[in-house]
């Protein structure tokens, strides 16, 4: 991020748009929107950074993107966030390295890089939701990335049944009330409809 030439090249690559092509919400994303519509979704914690839960229609106030999102930019200096698309429009309009509109700082996609700390408020919110939930559905995660994987034992210890939907075994299969080793796109719509 400290090299302006690299930043310009990165913006150019993003503005050309190839990384966005073909990324559409799937039946798994849509099933979680349906769960919210039924009034059964308290909090959706995602490790994905692709913004597809929001694109599918999950409400912002139900969503914790614990590893950030490529659909927004964040200022490294003042922390202000804005939609990625606005920044890309500025690049296409000729700004090679668009600065923060508020403080002039460097903008970067609003993801948490490896080794960077999570946003504490998001982690706290996730843990609170795990403590208070009636059921924890763990979907399509190996449950090996910490500290967020801790929400599974937190919910279990608080007395909530844990249901794991994942094609591969996870370290928490032993404490789960049910393990569904199936494709998310197939299993999740059926679970939500039940
Ligand atoms: Zn700023």
């Amino acid at each position: 991020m400290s090299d302006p030439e690299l930043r310009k090249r990165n913006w150019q690559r993003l503005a050309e748009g190839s990384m966005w092509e073909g990324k559409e919400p799937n039946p798994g994303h849509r099933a979680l929107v349906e769960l919210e519509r039924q009034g059964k979704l308290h909090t959706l914690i995602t490790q994905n950074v692709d913004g597809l839960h929001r694109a599918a229609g999950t409400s912002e106030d139900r969503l914790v993107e614990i590893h950030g999102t490529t659909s927004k930019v964040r200022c490294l200096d003042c922390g202000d966030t804005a939609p990625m698309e606005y920044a890309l429009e500025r690049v296409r309009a000729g700004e090679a390295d668009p600065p923060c509109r508020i403080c002039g700082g460097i903008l970067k996609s609003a993801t948490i890089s490896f080794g960077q700390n999570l946003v504490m408020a998001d982690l706290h919110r996730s843990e609170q939701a795990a403590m208070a939930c009636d059921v924890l559905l763990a979907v399509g995660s190996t449950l090996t990335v910490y500290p967020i994987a801790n929400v599974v034992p937190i919910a279990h210890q608080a007395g909530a049944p844990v249901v794991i939907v994942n094609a591969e075994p996870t370290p928490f299969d032993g404490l789960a009330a049910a393990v569904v080793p199936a494709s998310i796109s197939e299993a999740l719509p059926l679970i939500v409809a039940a």
Side-chain angles (χ1 to χ4, degrees):
M1 294 316 296
S2 59
D3 181 341
E5 287 311 312
L6 270 180
R7 290 205 305 273
K8 283 178 196 171
R9 244 181 289 158
N10 191 44
W11 280 120
Q12 200 52 48
R13 193 173 56 79
L14 288 170
E16 283 161 10
S18 52
M19 75 177 277
W20 311 103
E21 277 165 25
K23 292 205 172 172
E24 299 269 326
N26 62 38
H29 296 102
R30 287 194 288 274
L32 293 170
V33 176
E34 171 59 21
L35 198 65
E36 179 181 342
R37 200 196 58 78
Q38 293 174 6
K40 295 176 184 167
L41 181 80
H42 181 283
T43 302
L44 196 167
I45 307 161
T46 184
Q47 294 172 284
N48 299 339
V49 297
D50 54 22
L52 289 180
H53 286 294
R54 195 179 306 106
T58 294
S59 304
E60 189 97 18
D61 62 349
R62 303 261 158 202
L63 187 60
V64 178
E65 292 171 308
I66 195 71
H67 294 148
T69 176
T70 55
S71 64
K72 292 181 186 172
V73 291
R74 183 183 296 115
C75 173
L76 292 181
D77 291 331
C78 76
D80 184 58
T81 61
M84 172 63 82
E85 198 45 44
Y86 293 179
L88 296 184
E89 279 166 19
R90 292 170 64 192
V91 176
R92 292 187 198 108
E95 288 182 73
D97 182 18
C100 172
R101 286 247 156 115
I102 292 173
C103 78
I106 292 170
L107 295 181
K108 150 186 189 303
S109 91
T111 53
I112 312 287
S113 307
F114 187 75
Q116 202 180 350
N117 287 331
L118 301 184
V119 176
M120 285 317 289
D122 287 345
L123 185 59
H124 183 69
R125 207 178 133 202
S126 302
E127 290 171 350
Q128 290 295 315
M131 263 180 247
C133 70
D134 299 318
V135 176
L136 184 136
L137 258 178
V139 180
S141 170
T142 58
L143 304 178
T144 54
V145 178
Y146 285 87
I148 195 58
N150 279 326
V151 295
V152 175
I154 287 172
H156 175 68
Q157 276 158 27
V162 170
V163 176
I164 296 175
V165 182
N166 200 48
E168 305 293 326
T170 80
F172 294 115
D173 288 1
L175 63 71
V179 176
V180 184
S183 137
I184 301 166
S185 286
E186 287 167 21
L188 211 48
L190 292 173
I191 290 170
V192 166

